[in-house]
Amino acid sequence: MAMQLIVATNNAHKIEELRPLFVGHELLMPQDVGITVFDPEETGESFFENAHIKAETLFHLTNKPTLADDSGLCVDALDGRPGIGSARYGSNGEGLLSAEQKNTLLLSELEGITARSCAFVCCLVLHYGPRKFLCVQETLEGEIALAPRGQGGFGYDPIVYLPTLEKTVAELTQEEKNLISHRGKAAKKMTAIIGALKFDV
Ligand code: IMP
C-alpha cells in the first residue's frame, strides 16, 4: 500500500537519504504540510524514545502518518557513546563540531585501545494513528578504524571499518551502503511491514 509519510525532520539531506529507501511512498517535509516550526526536544534516553517523540509530536500536529529516524554510532569501549549523542558529540553546548572534528576526537578517545567494536544504529518509527505506531531498529556492526579512509557517505562513515568487506563505510557506494546499512535494513523491514499490512490509516 502506497503511503504518504510526513518525515519528522527539518533536514532535507535526511529526506533525500530516506526517499530511495521508501520507493513507492511519498515522503514530505513538515513545511510541505504547513508546519513551519518543528523542533521537538529530544529528551529520550534511547534511539527509540527520541524517534518516538519526533514521530508522535508530528502526528499530533498533522493528523497524518509520520516517519521519524533516530540514529547514531555506539562504541563498545566507550560504553555505547556517542550513541544518542552522536550529532552533538564533543560540542560542549557551543556550535556542533564538523564530522571531521568528531572523527578525530573519537580516534583520540580510542588511542591505544585494541577492542574497537562499534555499531551504527537506526531506529525508525512510523506513527499512523493516536496511540498507534510501528518501530524497527537495525544495526551495522563494524570496528573503529585506526585512521579515516574513503570519500563517500557522511558523518562517522570514514572511521567505521567493515572487516568482512575490508573497507570503511565511506569506501562503499551509496547503493552498497544502503544494502547493508542500519538505515537501509530498517527501511527495508519497515516497507515490508507496510506492504504486508492492509491497515487503515
Ligand atoms: P540524527 O540526525 O540526530 O539522527 O543524528 C545522527 C548522528 O549520527 C549524526 O551525527 C550522524 O553523523 C551520525 N550517523 C547516523 N547515521 C550515520 C551513517 O550512516 N553514517 C555516518 N554517521 C551517521
Side-chain angles (χ1 to χ4, degrees):
M1 181 181 107
M3 290 185 79
Q4 186 185 69
L5 297 169
I6 320 300
V7 183
T9 183
N10 299 306
N11 183 341
H13 174 80
K14 192 168 257 186
I15 301 241
E16 288 322 312
E17 226 185 84
L18 287 169
R19 276 201 175 111
L21 302 174
F22 281 82
V23 173
H25 303 283
E26 189 185 8
L27 267 50
L28 299 175
M29 291 187 75
Q31 62 249 43
D32 296 330
V33 290
I35 309 290
T36 47
V37 181
F38 179 69
D39 192 18
E41 234 188 302
E42 296 182 32
T43 52
E45 290 179 7
S46 64
F47 294 106
F48 165 66
E49 285 178 11
N50 282 336
H52 185 250
I53 287 169
K54 291 186 272 189
E56 187 177 42
T57 305
L58 190 59
F59 179 83
H60 287 298
L61 287 170
T62 61
N63 209 30
K64 291 176 189 295
T66 59
L67 178 70
D69 155 313
D70 204 62
S71 55
L73 177 67
C74 299
V75 179
D76 294 322
L78 303 178
D79 293 326
R81 279 194 304 112
I84 60 168
S86 292
R88 296 175 302 280
Y89 176 54
S91 75
N92 288 327
E94 286 154 35
L96 298 182
L97 298 187
S98 69
E100 208 179 324
Q101 289 169 324
K102 285 182 202 156
N103 290 343
T104 304
L105 179 61
L106 194 48
L107 289 179
S108 74
E109 277 208 82
L110 285 195
E111 217 172 283
I113 296 177
T114 50
R116 303 176 75 87
S117 57
C118 64
F120 275 125
V121 178
C122 174
C123 182
L124 290 178
V125 171
L126 192 163
H127 227 284
Y128 62 96
R131 296 175 291 278
K132 296 202 283 189
F133 63 85
L134 300 171
C135 172
V136 178
Q137 182 162 303
E138 266 294 350
T139 62
L140 169 59
E141 321 275 334
E143 291 171 6
I144 300 299
L146 293 173
R149 227 168 68 186
Q151 304 300 320
F154 69 99
Y156 298 96
D157 285 347
I159 60 164
V160 174
Y161 179 72
L162 306 171
T164 49
L165 300 178
E166 298 184 351
K167 285 179 178 175
T168 67
V169 179
E171 291 177 299
L172 303 178
T173 64
Q174 189 62 51
E175 291 71 29
E176 288 170 332
K177 180 179 168 184
N178 284 349
L179 282 177
I180 58 161
S181 79
H182 46 316
R183 193 169 295 100
K185 288 188 289 190
K188 195 168 178 189
K189 289 187 176 155
M190 184 65 87
T191 52
I193 295 168
I194 296 171
L197 294 177
K198 306 261 186 292
F199 60 84
D200 194 9
V201 289

